[in-house]
Amino acid sequence: MVMMSLSVGSCMASTDPTAPLGWRAPNVAKSVTAKPAVRLNVQSIVCPDKAECHAIINQRVLSVNDYIAGHRIQAIDQDGVWLFKQGRRLRLTLFPNVVIR
């Protein structure tokens, strides 16, 4: 009888010596990979006289309150676009601030 209990114990010891008899590890769900971030590129801004401005971002013509990549467009002016997502404001400019010397 003692021999039998030792053989069961040695079988379980190869997996987890502290696990209760008959216990099996739960199946682990596969992790979900995050979507790659979308680069937002302002290609053009059109502001006709006394009319609302439109922006072309990633080849889409957009106006205020439109959405792109989960961001809501708050404002468009001649110099750039204000976006809003999850409590954060983001400013996209038509021309990046690059200084060449």
Side-chain angles (χ1 to χ4, degrees), residues 1 5 8 13 15 21 25-26 29 37 41 43-44 50-51 53 56 75 83 85 89-90 92-93 100-101:
M1 198 155 206
S5 66
V8 170
T15 56
L21 291 175
N41 182 22
Q43 296 155 322
S44 178
K50 298 184 182 182
C53 295
I56 300 175
L83 303 175
K85 182 179 181 181
R89 288 186 75 189
L90 172 67
L92 298 178
T93 57
I100 300 174
R101 293 183 186 205

Side-chain angles (χ1 to χ4, degrees), residues 66-77:
D66 286 345
Y67 284 85
I68 185 161
H71 294 84
R72 183 175 64 84
I73 297 178
Q74 278 190 324
I76 302 172
D77 59 31

Side-chain angles (χ1 to χ4, degrees), residues 24-56:
R24 292 178 188 232
N27 291 334
V28 178
K30 293 181 181 178
S31 64
V32 178
T33 57
K35 292 181 182 179
V38 175
R39 182 174 171 89
L40 299 175
N41 182 22
V42 178
Q43 296 155 322
S44 178
I45 296 175
V46 179
C47 295
D49 292 334
K50 298 184 182 182
E52 91 175 39
C53 295
H54 299 281
I56 300 175

